[in-house]
Amino acid sequence: MIYLDNAATTRVLPEVFEAMKPYFCENYGNPSSVYRFAGESKKAVAEAREQLAGLIGAEAREIYFTGGGSEADNWALKAVAEAYKEKGNHIITSSIEHHAILHTCQWLEKQGFQVTYLDVDENGLVRPEDVEAAIRPETILISIMTANNEIGTIEPIGEIGAIAEKHGVLFHTDAVQALGHIPLDVNELHVDLLSASGHKLHGPKGIGILYVRKGVKIGSFIHGGSQERNRRAGTHNVPGIVGMGKAAELAAANMNQWAARQTELRDYLIHRIETEIPYVKVNGDRKKRLPNNVNVCFRFIEGESLLIMLDSKGICGSSGSACTSGSLDPSHVLLAIGLPHEIAHGSLRLTLSESTTKEELDTTVDELKTIVERLRQMSPLYEDFAKKNR
Ligand SMILES: *Cc1c(COP(=O)(O)O)cnc(C)c1O
């Protein structure tokens, strides 16, 4: 199998799994209990909090563990909206956010909040000047993702954070795709709240964090016990927390090396696809791009058919569209960067990991060439096009 869908989820690294193991059958104490046996779990949670804080330049007490990236996004938006509603009811975000942000914003609109969804340029970049122009006296929050999960574009969040700070507006960023892949410092970037998820950086699924800068008012999202300084109830997912902490530690130690290697492989893959397959468009910014993201559209074919045929060759990719949910609409991100429906439908996202090899990419391109050729032979659109251009 060739796994090229690391934006959907990543492999738990063996070191991460090893670190988690003792917290299932041996040190299974509840970290909130008082006896010494629970002390092991408590210490492990504290260490993981330090590891995560270290990765983003935060203090350990500013890190709150959640049940994943979606929960962190929901919590950030809903709790800031609730806590600051006396100040105003306006939120600014972009049209290319993950659905955990977009659908939360739509829900907030039903509760009476006003949301501005900023357009992006043809590479998927939010323009900081658009953010500034959208700020009103009643704006309470700006939420712009660090990097896009479909096209890999890295947003100018440092500039956006500085604008937010200048205007006294809180700034949240969904860093789920970026954490562990590119350097992030919440102080340099003027970030007040940041969401991340364990399973996107070689940690386990069902664990995430919300960073909340000290001084930011934010209520509890899950009500119950007094875990997480009264802000997120529920018995700690100790193995998950330990796993995410270990993944953060490994990312901190290896990020530069992993990123350099993946950037080279990424550009090699893009180059081969662009030069060896006709009628291809590369999506997303060429430079301001996650080291592991390749997103292309092949004209005259359906991304879904492409995925099925790649799968039959043991290659896992993604169309980057919402088709998995049974909807036939093309990706909102590809439409937002201005692609027409028929081109957006032919999209393919291939996302690499630290263990991806050049041989795997060569095999993928070789298979892709044959598959694209075969699908185009079956396409009436291509037939018409070929006739006209003969
Ligand atoms: C995967 C992802 C999420 C959701 O994270 P989960 O931990 O799967 O809930 C949110 N935002 C972005 C950008 C993502 O890629």
Side-chain angles (χ1 to χ4, degrees):
M1 184 194 67
I2 299 177
Y3 184 76
L4 295 174
D5 200 13
N6 287 280
T9 198
T10 58
R11 173 177 83 114
V12 169
L13 287 175
E15 297 94 318
V16 169
F17 186 47
E18 283 306 317
M20 292 171 70
K21 267 185 190 166
Y23 298 94
F24 287 99
C25 303
E26 295 152 43
N27 301 327
Y28 54 83
N30 185 328
S32 304
S33 301
V34 293
Y35 34 79
R36 273 170 300 150
F37 172 57
E40 287 301 322
S41 315
K42 196 173 186 163
K43 232 171 53 199
V45 170
E47 191 188 338
R49 207 184 298 282
E50 294 283 351
Q51 287 163 323
L52 280 152
L55 189 55
I56 58 170
E59 290 176 27
R61 63 190 175 122
E62 296 172 312
I63 303 291
Y64 296 88
F65 288 109
T66 68
S70 299
E71 183 187 315
D73 283 342
N74 271 259
W75 184 16
L77 267 54
K78 291 178 185 175
V80 165
E82 170 67 24
Y84 290 85
K85 63 174 189 251
E86 304 304 325
K87 184 183 171 229
N89 69 343
H90 180 233
I91 295 167
I92 300 170
T93 188
S94 82
S95 55
I96 63 162
E97 299 294 311
H98 189 273
H99 285 128
I101 295 291
L102 291 179
H103 291 167
T104 303
C105 283
Q106 285 161 15
W107 183 86
L108 284 167
E109 283 182 286
K110 288 195 196 121
Q111 312 306 309
F113 289 88
Q114 293 185 0
V115 182
T116 300
Y117 300 90
L118 295 174
D119 288 336
V120 293
D121 75 4
E122 70 280 7
N123 292 323
L125 286 163
V126 174
R127 302 172 196 86
E129 61 270 26
D130 289 354
V131 176
E132 187 153 32
I135 295 175
R136 312 175 191 161
E138 61 274 19
T139 305
I140 51 175
L141 179 67
I142 296 167
S143 179
I144 302 290
M145 67 202 320
T146 311
N148 184 267
N149 47 303
E150 292 189 30
I151 56 175
T153 299
I154 299 172
E155 300 296 343
I157 62 160
E159 280 173 69
I160 296 169
I163 290 169
E165 190 172 282
K166 186 174 105 189
H167 291 268
V169 176
L170 291 175
F171 178 46
H172 166 257
T173 190
D174 174 343
V176 173
Q177 286 293 330
L179 187 76
H181 297 267
I182 57 171
L184 290 177
D185 184 298
V186 290
N187 296 315
E188 275 170 27
L189 297 167
H190 314 278
V191 167
D192 298 304
L193 302 106
L194 175 147
S195 309
S197 172
H199 74 104
K200 302 283 174 77
L201 72 151
H202 299 289
K205 295 166 182 59
I207 184 73
I209 57 159
L210 182 64
Y211 155 80
V212 184
R213 183 179 292 283
K214 60 177 181 293
V216 172
K217 283 191 287 176
I218 185 169
S220 181
F221 186 55
I222 305 286
H223 302 283
S226 61
Q227 291 91 352
E228 297 297 278
R229 307 170 70 231
N230 267 321
R231 279 169 147 180
R232 201 282 186 182
T235 302
H236 289 102
N237 169 4
V238 180
I241 289 170
V242 168
M244 188 172 179
K246 186 69 185 178
E249 184 194 291
L250 292 170
N254 298 294
M255 192 187 307
N256 290 344
Q257 191 198 330
W258 287 347
R261 193 168 161 273
Q262 286 175 48
T263 301
E264 203 179 311
L265 287 174
R266 173 198 75 188
D267 292 343
Y268 172 74
L269 178 57
I270 292 176
H271 180 77
R272 276 208 64 190
I273 291 176
E274 266 191 313
T275 51
E276 298 179 35
I277 304 179
Y279 314 118
V280 169
K281 184 185 177 306
V282 176
N283 301 312
D285 198 277
R286 301 260 178 174
K287 286 270 172 291
K288 294 169 193 152
R289 185 179 198 97
L290 287 174
N292 72 339
N293 176 288
V294 174
N295 188 306
V296 288
C297 284
F298 299 97
R299 281 178 70 188
F300 315 111
I301 61 178
E302 289 285 334
E304 293 301 294
S305 327
L306 191 58
L307 287 185
I308 293 165
M309 292 181 73
L310 280 172
D311 183 32
S312 74
K313 302 290 176 189
I315 301 167
C316 308
S318 158
S319 62
S321 79
C323 293
T324 38
S325 61
S327 118
L328 285 175
D329 292 337
S331 142
H332 67 287
V333 176
L334 297 180
L335 295 181
I337 61 172
L339 295 188
H341 275 245
E342 69 274 15
I343 293 185
H345 268 303
S347 67
L348 176 68
R349 179 187 71 184
L350 298 172
T351 41
L352 325 185
S353 81
E354 95 317 322
S355 59
T356 303
T357 64
K358 189 158 178 267
E359 289 67 40
E360 288 179 320
L361 299 183
D362 282 328
T363 307
T364 302
V365 177
D366 293 343
E367 295 291 358
L368 206 48
K369 283 162 72 173
T370 318
I371 293 170
V372 167
E373 173 78 30
R374 195 175 321 149
L375 287 173
R376 282 182 178 159
Q377 291 313 326
M378 302 184 323
S379 156
L381 286 171
Y382 186 64
E383 202 180 326
D384 280 356
F385 176 84
K387 247 186 235 153
K388 276 191 213 127
N389 289 274
R390 202 165 280 149

